[in-house]
Amino acid sequence: MNKKNPYFELMATPGAVWFSAAGLLARLALPMTGIGAITMLSLLGHSYVLAGTLAASFVLTYALLSPQISRWVDRFGQSKVLPCAAATSALGMGLVVMASWLQGPVWLMFAGAVLAGSMPSISAMVRARWTVVFRGQPRLQTAYALETVLDEFSFIVGPPLSVGLAVAWFPQAGLLVAALVLLLGAGALAALRATAPAVAVPDSNTRANPAAPSVLSLAAVRCLVLLMLSMGAIVGSVDIVSVALAQQWGEPAWASGILVAYATGSCVAGMVFGAIQLPLPARQLLLVGAVATAVSVCLLLVAGGAVAVVATVGLAGVFFGPTMIVAMTLVEQLVAEHQLTEGLTWLLAGLNVGVAIGAALSGYVVDAYGVVHGWSVAVAAGVLLVLIAAVAYRQLRPVPAEAAVRCAA
């Protein structure tokens, strides 16, 4: 019975259980860090403006640095780069903790937040390992689906864990544990060399040349990064508007229900999508997922009560996971093998930047025009998502693995 389950087959792959477990531990650090800093400063009596700005500094630095770190990983290997990047990030978290503990200058906390932004993209590292095992096989889609579910799981578990530690122990506890899980998980992942992607030998006459341009120079990759940014903006809008709606209803607990519905819809749909093989090309699946996401988001404008909002947000989540899996699959087809980690990281960076932009814009709209208008940001992002997916559908064409596919930026 287990042999027929594609996820059991994944875990039966030699080394898969170990690098999946190490990756899951390490990736908890990302969702724990930002909320950990906000909780720490709020418990210590600092303003939410300072707390939010500090967290944003970390997120934006992470979005900018993680692709470059992944580029180094592609050149020098996970075993060399992961420990250094994780140690630098943990040092940054330590500086934030020390500055808050000793009531040091604010600039020291921001310096620490920037250093913490050197956190490696663990999700991309694990996906790259799966690609080494299943490149060109249908099971790679299943592996990407599993990683999408684990990403969602980390963002469900990480924030409440960080907040709970800060409240139960001491304000800095969430950040300290985030640094610890990053060091342990990244260290364990780096030590598992047998499943790590091979490092290409530099050769000025081949594409393995270390001076080769970033994968972002490919218009097709830029296209998919913009698509992920649009999806992230929807997520950021859902985060903010959910909290605002719950407060308006006088039932703050509904915010958790809305967010859980979104994450659950994405997780379940991602697992199902990864276990089946649809007879459609990836570019067509991308367009279908984008249109379905946009339509479900538009339904939020007419969702009246709490139950309707939860159901509609859950429906939107159903299309998020599969669309993200398809985008990752396309990147694997577009970029050279020795640049895969960088390519995957750019998509994840686009998603994170989109979340920050969507949350900021939705917060402004809610404050200026009212809660119900907050969904307009998600709707606008949905429209942009469809437009980008339409460009990708027209321009992405099946090509040999070594060829670069270009689409209009």
Side-chain angles (χ1 to χ4, degrees):
M1 181 177 180
N2 288 351
K3 292 182 179 180
K4 296 181 180 180
N5 188 310
Y7 294 100
F8 280 107
E9 291 181 0
L10 289 182
M11 290 298 103
T13 304
V17 171
W18 295 109
F19 73 68
S20 294
L24 178 59
L25 179 64
R27 80 179 70 194
L28 284 173
L30 178 59
M32 289 181 69
T33 301
I35 193 66
I38 293 173
T39 305
M40 178 189 73
L41 292 179
S42 64
L43 290 175
L44 293 174
H46 293 282
S47 69
Y48 282 103
V49 173
L50 175 62
T53 305
L54 186 71
S57 299
F58 161 74
V59 172
L60 292 178
T61 305
Y62 170 78
L64 291 173
L65 290 184
S66 57
Q68 180 58 48
I69 292 171
S70 291
R71 184 172 170 83
W72 292 337
V73 166
D74 285 330
R75 284 181 57 186
F76 303 111
Q78 292 189 12
S79 62
K80 292 183 178 180
V81 178
L82 266 178
C84 296
T88 303
S89 181
L91 175 63
M93 294 184 217
L95 282 178
V96 175
V97 168
M98 183 182 70
S100 67
W101 193 286
L102 301 178
Q103 298 182 357
V106 172
W107 66 262
L108 185 59
M109 283 195 290
F110 278 94
V114 171
L115 275 179
S118 65
M119 184 182 298
S121 177
I122 301 297
S123 297
M125 308 297 164
V126 179
R127 283 181 171 91
R129 290 177 182 246
W130 284 119
T131 305
V132 170
V133 179
F134 295 123
R135 182 180 293 276
Q137 300 181 36
R139 279 186 291 180
L140 183 58
Q141 175 179 296
T142 307
Y144 283 172
L146 176 64
E147 289 306 307
T148 299
V149 170
L150 292 179
D151 281 338
E152 294 282 2
F153 177 80
S154 69
F155 276 89
I156 293 173
V157 173
L161 176 61
S162 186
V163 172
L165 289 169
V167 173
W169 287 357
F170 51 93
Q172 295 86 357
L175 268 182
L176 287 176
V177 172
L180 179 62
V181 298
L182 176 63
L183 289 173
L184 292 176
L189 194 61
L192 299 170
R193 300 191 179 193
T195 54
V199 179
V201 178
D203 183 350
S204 60
N205 296 320
T206 68
R207 294 182 64 197
N209 183 355
S214 166
V215 297
L216 202 60
S217 63
L218 296 176
V221 175
R222 295 198 299 271
C223 186
L224 292 175
V225 170
L226 289 175
L227 183 137
M228 293 295 285
L229 189 146
S230 301
M231 293 176 64
I234 294 174
V235 175
S237 179
V238 169
D239 288 346
I240 296 300
V241 180
S242 297
V243 174
L245 274 177
Q247 292 178 344
Q248 185 182 70
W249 295 332
E251 297 289 346
W254 272 105
S256 296
I258 296 173
L259 297 178
V260 167
Y262 192 81
T264 301
S266 178
C267 286
V268 173
M271 290 290 284
V272 173
F273 182 78
I276 61 177
Q277 297 295 325
L278 297 177
L280 296 173
R283 64 191 184 99
Q284 188 170 342
L285 289 173
L286 190 72
L287 181 59
V288 171
V291 172
T293 299
V295 170
S296 61
V297 167
C298 289
L299 292 177
L300 289 168
L301 295 174
V302 295
V307 175
V309 171
V310 169
T312 307
V313 166
L315 179 63
V318 164
F319 301 110
F320 178 88
T323 306
M324 182 174 175
I325 294 166
V326 173
M328 293 291 178
T329 302
L330 283 168
V331 164
E332 185 270 329
Q333 297 171 0
L334 291 169
V335 304
E337 182 176 345
H338 67 277
Q339 291 182 300
L340 177 62
T341 311
E342 182 192 353
L344 293 170
T345 303
W346 271 115
L347 262 65
L348 295 169
L351 181 68
N352 285 314
V353 171
V355 171
I357 293 174
L361 290 177
S362 294
Y364 170 78
V365 171
V366 167
D367 286 341
Y369 303 104
V371 176
V372 70
H373 294 288
W375 293 126
S376 61
V377 175
V379 171
V383 173
L384 180 61
L385 176 65
V386 172
L387 293 176
I388 296 172
V391 172
Y393 178 79
R394 293 186 60 186
Q395 298 297 325
L396 291 173
R397 292 288 188 268
V399 295
E402 68 277 5
V405 180
R406 299 184 177 275
C407 71

